[in-house]
Amino acid sequence: MRARSYPDSPVVAPGMLRSLRGLLARDSTRGLDASEREDLTQAQLRATRPIVSGVLLCGAVLLAIIAAFELAGATPTIGYPAWLQLLVAGVVAGCAAGVARLTQWQQRLMLTLVATLLTGIFMSMPLPGATGQLALRTGLFQLLPLALMALMVRPVSLLAFALLIVVMAQLRIVLHGAPGTGSALYWLYTLTTIGFGLVLAGYRTDFAVSAWQMRRRLVEQAHTDALTGLLNRNGWSERADALHARAAAAGMPVALVVLDIDYFKRVNDRLGHDGGDAVLQRLGAIMRARTGGDEGCAARIGGEEFAVLLEGDDALSATAFAERVRGEFGKEHDGVVATLSAGIAEHVAGESLREQMRRADQALYEAKREGRDRVCVAPRS
């Protein structure tokens, strides 16, 4: 006689695993690349660190309050001397302070787990033979890992907390036997706590992703020229200053190229503002392609004036770059021919970006005086 098959049964465990993976890898993060995920993770860690520390401090305060109540006879003891509970409360408070100060997330996770374990033992796990009303104390303690799980950022931290809750639940059974309500209900309560923690962590992640993406969009809008897609003056100031300082500190050459479209007012008058915008967009596209897109340091710093900072390039290679841009831009496009002039200044020791920009501007003016549609290099002085 052939055994009956139940097609739903074999897929229960894999289905649960897929659900857990889906919960830990939220849809809101699937479109992010590795660097964006790491940026998001670091932003969440910075935001949640003081909150985790505060939750642990609340646990320490609860332990101290319970010890004080036991000393006053206001609540039954669960077997631990009050002085030991106060000592543990101090240790948990120290863990909270460590979480607030340490920079390594692994160390913070370890302190958080230790503090949670100590709080759970001394708040909701009586010594064998001790009697006492534990319902309120256990309920208060369960709020602690629930809140902490919701604040965990990395999947390994979530899984560590889930394992800690299971271990503590099993330890209660080992010390005191199965609860009177039955093991099934007890484990259902334990797993429900873990489930709520995972769900809250997932929703917190969704909120964090939305906030992070909104902040990034606002930063991009504040630093990007909407017409050309290049950096605007604000974005240029921030990125160029950082790149210039890095190159100067490393002793690397860095060249500044300033470009200006020749007779742009005539272009606008002849083609209209839409046509003028198209010319600006074409130059922006050429510069983005030549400088590595979003990773480059190319900007529209004025109406028809552009600038590029080339890290690792001297005046010779910067001239070759400017000539390629000038040649490509000067080709006829949609019946329109426009030219540009460029000035180049190679960084000299001790020179600030502002001073280098002034020399590049002087070279640009020289290119204009010599008839436009050319590249001039500022002398190194």
Side-chain angles (χ1 to χ4, degrees):
M1 181 176 178
R2 295 180 61 186
R4 295 180 61 186
S5 62
Y6 297 89
D8 291 339
S9 300
V11 299
V12 170
M16 291 178 65
L17 290 176
R18 283 195 297 270
S19 298
L20 180 59
R21 284 196 298 267
L23 186 63
L24 296 179
R26 305 289 291 182
D27 289 339
S28 55
T29 64
R30 286 175 183 164
L32 305 179
D33 60 30
S35 63
E36 290 173 331
R37 284 176 182 270
E38 184 59 26
D39 287 344
L40 173 61
T41 297
Q42 294 302 322
Q44 291 183 84
L45 289 173
R46 287 191 297 270
T48 57
R49 185 197 306 182
I51 306 176
V52 170
S53 177
V55 171
L56 294 179
L57 189 59
C58 288
V61 171
L62 277 175
L63 282 175
I65 291 174
I66 290 173
F69 280 4
E70 289 183 3
L71 280 173
T75 185
T77 180
I78 60 173
Y80 301 102
W83 67 266
L84 183 58
Q85 294 186 60
L86 290 173
L87 177 62
V88 171
V91 172
V92 173
C95 290
V99 168
R101 294 180 181 179
L102 291 174
T103 57
Q104 294 294 322
W105 71 269
Q106 297 93 335
Q107 296 174 344
R108 295 199 303 269
L109 174 61
M110 186 60 64
L111 287 180
T112 303
L113 292 172
V114 169
T116 305
L117 178 62
L118 289 174
T119 305
I121 290 174
F122 284 86
M123 185 182 290
S124 65
M125 199 173 297
L127 290 174
T131 59
Q133 181 55 254
L134 287 176
L136 178 60
R137 296 171 69 142
T138 303
L140 284 174
F141 166 69
Q142 291 298 99
L143 292 176
L144 187 72
L146 183 62
L148 290 172
M149 282 190 71
L151 294 168
M152 293 297 104
V153 175
R154 298 181 184 272
V156 66
S157 302
L158 283 169
L159 294 177
F161 258 93
L163 181 61
L164 178 65
I165 293 173
V166 171
V167 167
M168 293 187 67
Q170 181 62 31
L171 186 58
R172 289 193 190 95
I173 293 178
V174 171
L175 291 176
H176 305 287
T181 55
S183 296
L185 186 60
Y186 176 75
W187 283 110
L188 177 62
Y189 178 71
T190 300
L191 295 177
T192 300
T193 301
I194 296 173
F196 271 122
L198 292 173
V199 170
L200 290 174
Y203 282 116
R204 183 202 52 74
T205 299
D206 287 345
F207 178 79
V209 171
S210 297
W212 178 78
Q213 289 176 333
M214 181 179 295
R215 180 183 180 278
R216 192 173 67 165
R217 283 195 298 269
L218 291 174
V219 170
E220 288 177 354
Q221 290 173 4
H223 290 77
T224 304
D225 177 60
L227 183 63
T228 63
L230 300 174
L231 296 171
N232 59 17
R233 183 170 286 276
N234 289 335
W236 163 263
S237 297
E238 183 175 308
R239 189 176 298 182
D241 283 342
L243 189 151
H244 190 273
R246 183 177 65 194
M252 295 175 57
V254 58
L256 175 61
V257 183
V258 179
L259 308 99
D260 187 88
I261 300 175
D262 298 326
Y263 300 114
F264 185 69
K265 186 178 183 305
R266 297 181 185 178
V267 174
N268 257 340
D269 292 342
R270 187 172 75 253
L271 303 177
H273 288 293
D274 288 343
D277 287 349
V279 171
L280 293 170
Q281 288 172 333
R282 184 158 64 90
L283 179 54
I286 294 171
M287 293 179 65
R288 280 176 59 83
R290 293 287 184 181
T291 58
D294 293 336
E295 301 303 318
C297 190
R300 180 187 177 198
I301 58 176
E304 66 272 17
E305 189 173 1
F306 297 75
V308 184
L309 200 61
L310 300 172
E311 186 179 17
D313 287 5
D314 57 14
L316 186 61
S317 56
T319 300
F321 165 84
E323 290 289 4
R324 286 193 297 270
V325 173
R326 187 181 68 86
E328 187 173 351
F329 180 73
K331 296 177 181 178
E332 182 177 346
H333 184 78
D334 292 338
V336 177
V337 177
T339 62
L340 61 80
S341 303
I344 296 172
E346 182 181 348
H347 177 254
V348 296
E351 183 180 46
S352 68
L353 179 61
R354 183 184 297 273
E355 292 167 339
Q356 189 175 358
M357 175 70 81
R358 184 164 53 248
R359 290 197 300 117
D361 281 336
Q362 291 171 352
L364 174 63
Y365 297 149
E366 183 65 25
K368 296 287 188 181
R369 282 194 296 268
E370 291 182 4
R372 294 177 169 80
D373 192 19
R374 67 195 63 226
V375 177
C376 286
V377 179
R380 291 176 57 87
S381 60

